[in-house]
């Protein structure tokens, strides 16, 4: 299976708190190719500090300092050959949860195009991941322990 990175729009056009990027194992450099050289260096440095290897559940955040988008969250998506809709949803979900915990109000997801998944389905997967990651049952929680919602 061949993994092709998505067409990265000019990221600086988007004024969001977080960009969530998915990175497959052995595809990390390809994932961050649309970033500026300084951001690439920071991502590589942070990835090394956190022993990021692209496994599902591995995640790190980089502050961009002065860009229209404030932070980049890189989420592991596992092996490209074994990718499926559920793995994409889970990976995006980890990124959205981290954004929610850190206190972000807006999130943009840059998802790679995978040959065995139709483009039409990727939008559905991203939407489901964001909604599920943002959900919390708060009926019995005190007001102090509630985490802010990303979806408003």
């Amino acid at each position: 299976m061949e993994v092709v990175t998505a067409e990265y729009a000019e990221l600086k056009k988007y004024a969001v708190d977080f960009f969530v990027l998915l990175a497959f194992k052995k595809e990390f450099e390809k994932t961050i190719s649309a970033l500026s050289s300084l951001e690439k260096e920071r991502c590589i440095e942070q990835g090394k500090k956190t022993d990021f290897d692209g496994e599902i559940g591995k995640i790190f955040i980089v502050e961009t300092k002065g860009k229209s988008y404030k932070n980049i969250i890189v989420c592991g998506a596992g092996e490209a050959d074994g990718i499926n809709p559920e793995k994409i949803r889970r990976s995006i979900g980890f990124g959205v949860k981290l954004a929610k915990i850190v206190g972000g109000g807006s999130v943009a997801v840059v998802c790679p195009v995978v040959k065995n998944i139709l483009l039409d389905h990727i939008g559905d997967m991203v939407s489901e991941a964001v909604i599920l990651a943002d959900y919390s049952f708060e009926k019995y929680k005190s007001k102090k322990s509630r985490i802010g919602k990303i979806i408003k």
Side-chain angles (χ1 to χ4, degrees):
M1 174 192 308
E2 180 186 354
V3 175
V4 181
T5 55
E7 286 295 320
Y8 287 95
E10 293 179 42
L11 300 181
K12 60 187 173 192
K13 286 183 179 179
Y14 299 95
V16 295
D17 294 319
F18 297 92
F19 260 109
V20 175
L21 304 176
L22 298 188
F24 295 110
K25 279 186 159 187
K26 302 173 190 156
E27 298 279 341
F28 180 61
E29 298 285 332
K30 199 173 184 182
T31 300
I32 62 173
S33 63
L35 302 175
S36 71
S37 57
L38 176 62
E39 290 165 345
K40 283 181 199 173
E41 288 175 30
R42 285 179 151 161
C43 283
I44 290 168
E45 183 181 315
Q46 188 66 15
K48 287 178 183 175
K49 281 182 187 176
T50 59
D51 292 327
F52 182 80
D53 60 2
E55 279 290 327
I56 292 179
K58 296 277 182 108
I59 189 170
F60 67 86
I61 187 169
V62 174
E63 189 177 351
T64 59
K65 295 183 180 174
K67 299 286 182 183
S68 59
Y69 49 97
K70 297 174 185 157
N71 301 281
I72 299 167
I73 297 175
V74 180
C75 307
E79 292 284 346
D81 287 339
I83 198 66
N84 61 44
E86 183 56 29
K87 288 181 180 178
I88 291 174
R89 274 192 292 270
R90 286 180 54 213
S91 298
I92 293 169
F94 287 125
V96 172
K97 283 243 189 234
L98 178 60
K100 185 176 177 178
I101 290 167
V102 172
S106 57
V107 176
V109 177
V110 180
C111 188
V113 176
V114 182
K115 292 281 184 179
N116 68 340
I117 299 175
L118 295 173
L119 282 175
D120 296 347
H121 297 276
I122 290 179
D124 294 340
M125 290 182 286
V126 171
S127 300
E128 287 175 16
V130 171
I131 290 167
L132 291 171
D134 193 40
Y135 175 78
S136 61
F137 183 75
E138 298 180 342
K139 184 175 181 177
Y140 300 108
K141 287 185 178 179
S142 67
K143 289 189 192 267
K144 281 195 301 185
S145 66
R146 293 182 183 176
I147 298 175
K149 286 249 184 226
I150 289 177
I151 301 173
K152 295 182 182 176

